[in-house]
Amino acid sequence: MDDFLAARSQMALSLGFHIVFSCIGMVMPFFMAVSHYKWLRTDNELYKNLTKAWSKGVAIFFATGAVSGTMLSFELGLLWPKFMEHAGPIFGMPFSLEGTAFFIEAIALGFFLYGWNKLNKWFHWFTGMVVGVSGLASGILVVAANAWMNSPAGFDFVDGKYLNIDPIQAMFNKAWFSQALHMCLAAFTATGFAVAGVHALMILRNKNKAFHFKAFKIAAVFACIGALLQPLSGDISAKDVAKRQPAKLAAMEALYKTEKPAPLLIGGIVNEQEKTVTAAIKIPGALSFLAHGDFDAEVKGLDQIPENEHPPVAITHYAFQVMVGIGTLLMIISLIYFFNLARKGSILNKRWLLKLFVLAIPLGYIALEAGWTVTEVGRQPWIIYGIMRTADAVTPMPGIAYSFYIFSAIYLSLSGVVAFLLYRQIKMVPYVYDKTAEPDINHK
């Protein structure tokens, strides 16, 4: 493995793990706050125990997110020094503000974890909300920095120099809103389905059903709302990418030739050597409509883009198909769940629906990783789109492959520890008899 590939692989590995840890850390505090609010309003001890159980999960992912995020900040400087030399002064503001949000989150989490029976009950609940809001703000600020890489703004690039720097304009670049919206909804959807699925599994196993049923309902509502809103944010993102990064859109759809109107491909096998796609289902004019709001609009293909600026088409296309396919499946599950709620049916009597949520446990995160792959791989060969190539930003330091192997071992170990802690936490859930539970819940 050469050093350039090793550096890219290490960043991909680090981001792949961190994005899961950070998304759970962003979303779980809101589940916790809803449960806490229900306890304050109903005085149901079950909600108090649920809040405490989820707060321990929040603490676990706060710690792992902090560790993996710190490692990422060092990697940016060590692996991509040329990038940080020029980009640091421009997009440093969102990173600085993210540090402030993280600082607030840490303080609020400390108040929440150790404030039981010591703080005013509503102030205690408020500190939990602060954990969620500051965590969400951290995620949005980091995504704003990534959006700047896709849509550079806030400077003039003249004769290889970065002049007239405006950090505010850089932070609020043209891509930040669409990326932040899509990312936040993805975080709520993925985490919601994962949490709901775990509690659905416990219900199916007849483990403390009253407790897990209430937990399931909170997580499932967040997950299903997020899944139903996700296509709307995806449409906003697609139109934005079509305008700013036509090469990425062409790679997402494996569109080698400019077409008017352009079909939307479902599936397909990409042959990058022959620049063809086979075995795909084509929906005439659909890509033109998604990209430009017009079924007859022209969509720019890779034939109008210099070949040395083509992203890896196969990886981008397959990742996009995985993201859209899973998103559609989760949207269908959400519609079924809300249809069941509208009919006032008990999900406890529908084991098949609970099993669907169990099967969906990993799907949201697979879609999340696939979407991040589309964002990052689809931008190649640029680290700053249209300004700096990734190959020009990598460190000249040799031996990066060994660093990649070491970091791989660290992240795998960290994931193993997190999985063990979560498993133990689920096993230690306290039993509380709930008189308000539905009559078909079996209290053993």
Side-chain angles (χ1 to χ4, degrees):
M1 181 182 292
D2 63 56
D3 289 335
F4 178 53
L5 179 60
R8 291 188 63 190
S9 299
Q10 183 171 323
M11 283 301 300
L13 176 83
S14 302
L15 286 167
F17 277 99
H18 180 68
I19 196 172
V20 173
F21 297 149
S22 60
C23 283
I24 297 174
M26 285 164 53
V27 172
M28 280 298 296
F30 290 100
F31 297 178
M32 179 183 76
V34 171
S35 177
H36 195 180
Y37 178 80
K38 285 180 174 288
W39 173 60
L40 294 175
R41 298 295 296 178
T42 65
D43 204 30
N44 186 333
E45 198 73 10
L46 189 148
Y47 282 119
K48 179 181 180 181
N49 284 335
L50 176 57
T51 303
K52 286 188 173 183
W54 274 346
S55 69
K56 292 175 182 177
V58 169
I60 290 169
F61 283 103
F62 177 83
T64 53
V67 171
S68 58
T70 302
M71 293 170 70
L72 268 173
S73 64
F74 282 115
E75 287 176 14
L76 280 172
L78 291 171
L79 299 178
W80 313 103
K82 290 292 183 182
F83 168 70
M84 292 304 294
E85 177 187 350
H86 299 293
I90 304 172
F91 79 153
M93 179 171 284
F95 277 127
S96 300
L97 294 175
E98 191 274 336
T100 303
F102 178 80
F103 181 65
I104 295 171
E105 183 183 6
I107 294 173
L109 183 60
F111 273 113
F112 187 84
L113 293 175
Y114 298 103
W116 290 97
N117 304 319
K118 298 181 180 68
L119 301 173
N120 173 275
K121 63 179 184 179
W122 287 106
F123 178 74
H124 186 217
W125 172 82
F126 175 73
T127 62
M129 281 296 298
V130 172
V131 174
V133 172
S134 56
L136 192 63
S138 293
I140 291 172
L141 288 165
V142 170
V143 171
N146 178 265
W148 178 84
M149 297 165 68
N150 287 300
S151 180
F155 66 96
D156 294 323
F157 188 65
V158 181
D159 297 329
K161 296 180 180 180
Y162 298 78
L163 307 174
N164 302 321
I165 293 172
D166 183 347
I168 299 296
Q169 187 182 0
M171 183 166 65
F172 295 108
N173 57 79
K174 292 181 180 179
W176 85 269
F177 175 76
S178 60
Q179 279 197 213
L181 177 63
H182 200 58
M183 184 66 201
C184 289
L185 289 174
F188 275 97
T189 302
T191 303
F193 271 103
V195 174
V198 169
H199 290 291
L201 180 62
M202 295 298 105
I203 294 170
L204 290 169
R205 292 180 176 178
N206 292 317
K207 304 286 188 181
N208 204 351
K209 291 175 70 173
F211 175 93
H212 291 292
F213 177 62
K214 291 191 180 300
F216 170 84
K217 288 196 297 183
I218 293 172
V221 168
F222 274 101
C224 294
I225 291 175
L228 293 176
L229 292 177
Q230 193 73 311
L232 300 177
S233 71
D235 180 65
I236 294 172
S237 295
K239 287 179 169 57
D240 179 64
V241 168
K243 186 183 300 182
R244 294 182 302 94
Q245 295 178 295
K248 179 184 286 187
L249 181 68
M252 288 160 60
E253 281 296 322
L255 187 68
Y256 282 103
K257 294 181 180 179
T258 300
E259 295 193 43
K260 178 184 178 181
L264 181 72
L265 299 188
I266 300 177
I269 301 171
V270 177
N271 186 323
E272 292 192 273
Q273 284 71 40
E274 297 182 7
K275 295 182 171 54
T276 58
V277 182
T278 56
I281 299 173
K282 294 185 178 182
I283 304 177
L287 181 59
S288 295
F289 179 76
L290 290 174
H292 302 292
D294 180 357
F295 283 101
D296 293 320
E298 180 179 276
V299 179
K300 189 175 182 179
L302 291 167
D303 59 336
Q304 292 191 21
I305 297 166
E307 194 156 347
N308 66 345
E309 295 180 10
H310 287 190
V313 178
I315 295 175
T316 307
H317 177 70
Y318 295 143
F320 180 68
Q321 295 293 312
V322 168
M323 179 186 69
V324 173
I326 292 177
T328 303
L329 177 59
L330 296 182
M331 186 175 66
I332 292 171
I333 295 174
S334 302
L335 289 172
I336 295 172
Y337 178 70
F338 282 131
F339 178 74
N340 181 70
L341 283 184
R343 295 184 62 190
K344 298 183 179 179
S346 173
I347 195 172
L348 295 170
N349 297 326
K350 295 179 174 60
R351 294 178 65 86
W352 61 270
L353 186 50
L354 289 170
K355 289 178 180 178
L356 283 179
F357 275 91
V358 173
L359 291 174
I361 290 174
L363 294 183
Y365 290 115
I366 294 173
L368 190 71
E369 297 285 7
W372 195 251
T373 299
V374 172
T375 299
E376 294 300 289
V377 177
R379 189 182 62 245
Q380 300 306 314
W382 306 101
I383 192 168
I384 306 175
Y385 189 71
I387 303 293
M388 178 184 289
R389 290 179 178 267
T390 309
D392 296 331
V394 71
T395 178
M397 182 179 69
I400 300 300
Y402 298 105
S403 173
F404 168 61
Y405 300 141
I406 293 170
F407 273 76
S408 298
I410 292 173
Y411 276 109
L412 289 173
S413 301
L414 185 61
S415 299
V417 171
V418 170
F420 170 75
L421 291 174
L422 291 177
Y423 175 77
R424 191 177 69 170
Q425 184 59 36
I426 293 171
K427 295 286 286 185
M428 292 173 62
V429 166
Y431 171 76
V432 175
Y433 181 79
D434 180 21
K435 295 180 181 180
T436 68
E438 294 192 11
D440 56 349
I441 292 179
N442 181 22
H443 298 289
K444 292 186 177 180

